[in-house]
Amino acid sequence: MAESIRIFAPATVANVACGFDIFGLAVDNPGDEVVLTKRNDDQIIITEITGDEGKLTKDPERNTVSVPILRYLEKLGIKQGFDIKLHKKMPLGSGLGSSSASSVAGVFGANKLLGEPMTTGELLPFSMEGERVACGAAHADNVAPALLGGFVIIRSYEPLDFVKINTPENLYVSIVHPDIEVNTKDARIILKQEAILKKIIAQTGNVAGLVVGLMTDDYPLIGRSMTDYLIEPNRSILIPYFNEVKETAISNGALGASISGAGPSIFAFSEGKETAEKVGQAMKKVFNQGEIDTNLFVSKINQNGPRILD
């Protein structure tokens, strides 16, 4: 059995416009890398963190890469230590599931090194504990697609019930990350706790329409369903040029666009890679004209989730 393993876990787009806390999808890039090495004792030690500009703690009870491993080992009743190296390959507070990627890579790697006593799906509750550390809520809309790949629906949290659905082969995601930070806790605080029934009905229709559109390759239906009546109107005020970026994406051929997770990243769906590249460049241009630096990622929906490197 291997003594060390290197894992990549992908970034994710959560909420996907109309599906607050219930929809999420994985992308091919960016993502985080974690190297786990077995120790001869039961200590969990984070030996190295890169790419975080010194912002992340190495305390194993407070870092998202190690907390899921600790809870996993407690559940199994196994006394096994690990040295952990965490390489952050995406911006913190980006709305791309940075904490989720770390959580998934860590517990997925530990499970592999211990001979896979649990299935990949059974690792989800432990991965969610990393989210509790990151933002105070153990939600699954980022960690589920990061762990399982694809487009995932969280049907229920109590009890936890989730399903991965099929998506169109030629559906691409363009993600533009502006060089600003939106804290996930702040992005949740700004949300209104009450909603008008008319908006709830419209939102529910879009949720149903998006699922059907994805599963039947109905691109126009996907586009018509990508309207968020409840969350986007509040969170968008935290993102400079949001409305201009969204309008530009659609005018350049995107099916629709919205906030990725808590933001500030903005994603767009397109049919075909060529259109997705065009859309991404147009979105970047709006931010750049406002003197905001950006990163662009264009990807299909990642169906595989985490993978072993080397």
Side-chain angles (χ1 to χ4, degrees):
M1 193 176 294
E3 297 298 309
S4 183
I5 196 168
R6 183 166 162 244
I7 300 293
F8 168 89
T12 47
V13 172
N15 302 334
V16 197
C18 56
F20 180 67
D21 275 6
I22 63 170
F23 285 169
L25 62 90
V27 294
D28 289 332
N29 64 88
D32 281 354
E33 292 182 15
V34 170
V35 179
L36 287 180
T37 303
K38 284 184 178 178
R39 294 175 56 86
N40 293 323
D41 54 31
D42 62 356
Q43 298 299 302
I44 303 296
I45 299 178
I46 301 174
T47 61
E48 180 182 2
I49 303 176
T50 64
D52 69 326
E53 300 179 350
K55 295 179 179 179
L56 298 180
T57 179
K58 290 184 179 179
D59 180 349
E61 285 286 359
R62 295 168 53 213
N63 192 295
T64 61
V65 72
S66 46
V67 167
I69 296 174
L70 289 167
R71 304 291 90 83
Y72 165 82
L73 292 171
E74 289 171 2
K75 179 67 174 180
L76 289 175
I78 294 177
K79 300 291 186 181
Q80 174 63 60
F82 294 100
D83 285 333
I84 304 173
K85 294 180 181 179
L86 171 60
H87 302 297
K88 300 298 296 181
K89 302 289 187 177
M90 67 177 108
L92 304 180
S94 59
L96 296 176
S98 176
S99 58
S100 298
S102 300
S103 298
V104 165
V107 74
F108 182 84
N111 193 54
K112 289 289 185 182
L113 286 178
L114 294 177
E116 300 186 79
M118 291 191 181
T119 66
T120 299
E122 288 173 334
L123 300 177
L124 182 56
F126 307 105
S127 301
M128 291 168 62
E129 289 305 308
E131 291 294 85
R132 192 187 305 277
V133 171
C135 67
H139 51 86
D141 51 347
N142 282 115
V143 290
L147 180 65
L148 304 171
F151 189 106
V152 180
I153 301 170
I154 312 301
R155 192 205 64 79
S156 168
Y157 280 90
E158 295 181 6
L160 183 61
D161 187 8
F162 54 91
V163 60
K164 179 177 173 180
I165 68 169
N166 295 328
T167 53
E169 175 66 24
N170 205 32
L171 183 67
Y172 279 78
V173 188
S174 307
I175 303 171
V176 173
H177 170 252
D179 190 17
I180 58 175
E181 186 170 338
V182 173
N183 183 277
T184 303
K185 290 182 180 178
D186 293 339
R188 293 186 83 89
I189 289 171
I190 201 173
L191 300 180
K192 296 179 180 178
Q193 298 302 309
E194 297 179 358
I196 299 172
L197 181 59
K198 183 177 179 180
K199 290 183 178 180
I200 294 174
I201 294 169
Q203 189 89 343
T204 304
N206 282 340
V207 166
L210 184 55
V211 171
V212 173
L214 290 169
M215 296 188 71
T216 60
D217 294 10
D218 189 332
Y219 291 97
L221 179 57
I222 291 170
R224 296 197 305 275
S225 303
M226 288 182 65
T227 301
D228 178 5
Y229 294 100
L230 303 179
I231 308 302
E232 183 183 296
N234 298 309
R235 282 187 169 171
S236 61
I237 65 177
L238 300 175
I239 305 172
Y241 308 110
F242 172 79
N243 290 328
E244 294 91 331
V245 171
K246 180 176 179 177
E247 291 167 6
T248 296
I250 294 171
S251 66
N252 277 271
L255 300 170
S258 190
I259 303 168
S260 178
S265 294
I266 301 174
F267 83 97
F269 276 157
S270 297
E271 182 179 359
K273 184 176 182 180
E274 184 177 345
T275 301
E277 293 280 5
K278 177 185 176 184
V279 166
Q281 292 297 336
M283 294 164 71
K284 269 179 66 74
K285 186 176 180 180
V286 176
F287 280 120
N288 295 159
Q289 288 175 340
E291 299 184 348
I292 297 176
D293 293 333
T294 57
N295 294 310
L296 170 63
F297 308 99
V298 177
S299 166
K300 283 189 172 184
I301 295 179
N302 175 346
Q303 300 294 336
N304 302 313
R307 68 178 188 272
I308 301 171
L309 302 175
D310 297 332

